[in-house]
């Protein structure tokens, strides 16, 4: 197994190759190392319980595996980052799907002023609409825009390095995706 370590960062790009050429034993060895790290990542960063984290990581890996088989991973060197983002997205999707079961009824939370209740409902509706719009983006655009959301204040230079594109392309791509999200949001709210 030729996993390289560079600047204290492990390069798992060989995993993409192993999966594409069906090198099952070698791929499983790497996955046995990577998947527990992803579970731990979800537990630490978003407070997921071990079972939910494992479930989300498994689903995220299946989604990424499909993309690998379709040769849609543009930068194999970023596979760990891609898997982390996919796991995180899967966790948030899982939470959104199970939200109705985990939230306490309003009476148990304590009563609040009507204006505050309306404001909270509007904010929740906007966030749900935004989440829905983001989920409709293609995987590459979703990964790109969620990188900005997860890293507020990130500089174009850092994004360019992360995604392997020029700083000018970072600004253009971000502008296009934001414009696309705005259009989706307007159409979604116009339908209501």
């Amino acid at each position: 197994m030729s996993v390289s370590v560079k600047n204290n960062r492990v390069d798992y790009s060989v995993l993409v190759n192993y999966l594409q050429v069906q090198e099952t034993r070698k791929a499983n060895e790497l996955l046995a190392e990577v998947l527990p790290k992803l579970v731990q990542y979800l537990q630490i960063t978003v407070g997921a319980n071990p079972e939910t984290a494992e479930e989300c990581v498994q689903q995220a890996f299946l989604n990424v595996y499909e993309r690998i088989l379709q040769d849609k991973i543009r930068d194999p060197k970023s596979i760990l980052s891609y898997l982390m983002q996919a796991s995180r997205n899967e966790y948030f999707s899982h939470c959104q799907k199970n939200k109705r079961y985990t939230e306490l009824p309003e009476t148990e939370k304590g009563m609040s002023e009507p204006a505050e209740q309306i404001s909270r409902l509007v904010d929740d509706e906007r966030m749900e609409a935004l989440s829905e719009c983001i989920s409709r983006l293609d995987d590459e655009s979703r990964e790109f825009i969620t990188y900005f959301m997860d890293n507020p204040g990130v500089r174009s230079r850092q994004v360019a390095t992360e995604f392997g594109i020029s700083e000018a392309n970072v600004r253009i791509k971000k502008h296009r995706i934001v414009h696309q999200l705005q259009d989706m949001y307007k159409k979604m709210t116009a339908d209501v």
Side-chain angles (χ1 to χ4, degrees), residues 20-75:
Q20 286 175 329
V21 298
Q22 308 273 323
E23 283 281 343
T24 309
R25 185 184 58 77
K26 291 179 180 180
N28 285 341
E29 287 175 13
L30 276 179
L31 289 171
E33 183 180 324
V34 172
L35 295 180
K37 287 181 180 182
L38 294 171
V39 170
Q40 188 177 32
Y41 167 76
L42 287 181
Q43 290 177 288
I44 293 169
T45 60
V46 295
N49 66 47
E51 296 80 24
T52 302
E54 192 168 328
E55 180 183 325
C56 291
V57 165
Q58 289 296 328
Q59 185 58 50
F61 171 71
L62 291 175
N63 296 342
V64 171
Y65 179 67
E66 288 294 320
R67 293 193 52 81
I68 290 171
L69 292 181
Q70 296 168 0
D71 201 26
K72 291 187 176 180
I73 301 296
R74 61 180 164 67
D75 183 13

Side-chain angles (χ1 to χ4, degrees), residues 89-107:
N89 289 343
E90 189 61 39
Y91 174 77
F92 290 137
S93 177
H94 172 82
C95 288
Q96 189 174 17
K97 288 176 190 172
N98 295 312
K99 185 177 180 181
R100 64 177 173 230
Y101 301 113
T102 58
E103 281 195 349
L104 295 172
E106 188 63 37
T107 55

Side-chain angles (χ1 to χ4, degrees), residues 73-183:
I73 301 296
R74 61 180 164 67
D75 183 13
K77 290 183 180 177
S78 298
I79 191 65
L80 183 59
S81 176
Y82 193 78
L83 283 165
M84 291 169 72
Q85 188 64 46
S87 298
R88 192 175 162 100
N89 289 343
E90 189 61 39
Y91 174 77
F92 290 137
S93 177
H94 172 82
C95 288
Q96 189 174 17
K97 288 176 190 172
N98 295 312
K99 185 177 180 181
R100 64 177 173 230
Y101 301 113
T102 58
E103 281 195 349
L104 295 172
E106 188 63 37
T107 55
E108 292 181 31
K109 291 182 185 176
M111 298 304 285
S112 56
E113 295 296 318
E116 187 180 322
Q117 290 174 351
I118 291 170
S119 176
R120 190 177 317 131
L121 284 173
V122 169
D123 288 346
D124 287 347
E125 287 176 11
R126 284 181 182 157
M127 283 308 296
E128 285 181 29
L130 178 60
S131 294
E132 176 64 26
C133 291
I134 290 172
S135 72
R136 292 180 183 181
L137 292 171
D138 63 84
D139 290 341
E140 186 178 319
S141 297
R142 186 172 45 249
E143 179 186 7
F144 187 81
I145 203 68
T146 53
Y147 184 83
F148 278 97
M149 294 170 69
D150 292 341
N151 300 285
V154 68
R155 298 197 183 281
S156 294
R157 180 177 297 147
Q158 184 179 347
V159 178
T161 302
E162 180 71 25
F163 287 89
I165 58 178
S166 70
E167 288 183 58
N169 282 342
V170 167
R171 290 187 288 276
I172 291 168
K173 188 170 186 169
K174 181 180 176 188
H175 174 76
R176 286 182 182 158
I177 294 171
V178 168
H179 185 70
Q180 187 180 359
L181 287 172
Q182 288 171 337
D183 286 346

